[in-house]
Amino acid sequence: MIELEGVPELIDPVMVAAFEGWNDAGDAASTAVAHLDREWKGEVFAALDAEDYYDFQVNRPTVFLDNGVRKITWPTTRLSVVRIGGDKPRDLVLVRGIEPSMRWRSFCNELLAFAHELGVEMVVILGALLGDTPHTRPVPVSGVTSDPDLARTMDLEETRYEGPTGIVGILQEAFTHAGVPAVSLWAAVPHYVSQPPNPKATLALLNRLEDLIGLRIPLGELPEDARAWQLGVDQLAAEDSEVAEYVQTLEEARDTAELPEASGEAIAREFERYLRRREPGTGPGGPGVATEGGDSPFLRDTGSGRTRPPKPERPAPEPSPEETTGGTAEGSGGSEGSAEDSSGEGESGESGDSGK
């Protein structure tokens, strides 16, 4: 471990992690953590030693000029911290990096040691996979854990996945076995438009994270970027009749599958989010304001009795990685279960890295 600064004193910290590579279709997960780091002005305090975990022929270093001086950036994993202000301030520990090439157990042990030292109360690991989901519908996001008690208390799915996994799945198991509550959130990215970025999937992950940890996340330009992304894909699909027909087939399958779930509970869940965002007294200067260095205000949910999204009455069967990804892409991580449509952005699938 390379410590860049002293370990800070944290308040009720939650660790949020994402890794580029197999677990990060469309760069949706890593972009979500980068968004949090940028909006809340994260301060890097530690980085893992790149020599220990990365094959530089797989993840190559980059050279750049800094005031005419050539410097090198090495692929690694960095930890930063952000403080969310307001009546009840708390901290997020953001872990952002690349899936390691080697020594995964040592990699997990380093992150676990930091979590213990910082007093992390819960770990949320973000991932994204390629799936048979239409770009015209809300992005499927599933939340899973291997802790049955946590699954019950937070209305998550208890993972039943068996098969290949990535660093997300390994980390989830490592934290769970060490007694640290760990959750994975997975967004399903349309396999026919898998190239990054995918702001719609990033937005879906942030919305679900917001519900899970009870913090208001500043979304910045993400909603507009998501609308522009969908419009662009709409235009591309309209130019190819075969693609348009395929998208229509996916839409019909999705709508048919979701028809039993289009209940009053789902509508109430979305209305609850709408009311939270319009809650009086949570604007700039009001309760729940979170600021960073005096810049733009960030709101947080101050309600203490917030209900969790209900579990689907008829959870979908867990598909195999081939079924979920449509046999398409590497980098999706395969499927690890059914997904819950959370925050108006979610539905199927977890990646083979969900650690189920």
Side-chain angles (χ1 to χ4, degrees), residues 44 68 137 145 150 158 160 172 202 221-222 234 277 326:
V44 175
R137 296 296 186 264
T145 179
L150 194 62
E158 184 180 352
R160 300 271 187 244
Q172 178 175 298
T202 295
E221 297 180 356
L222 265 178
D234 285 343
R277 290 195 172 277

Side-chain angles (χ1 to χ4, degrees), residues 34-56:
H35 176 87
L36 297 175
D37 193 66
R38 180 174 60 254
E39 292 292 325
W40 276 322
K41 299 179 176 59
E43 296 183 6
V44 175
F45 64 88
L48 303 187
D49 191 340
E51 289 281 345
D52 291 340
Y53 304 113
Y54 295 99
D55 179 345
F56 298 140

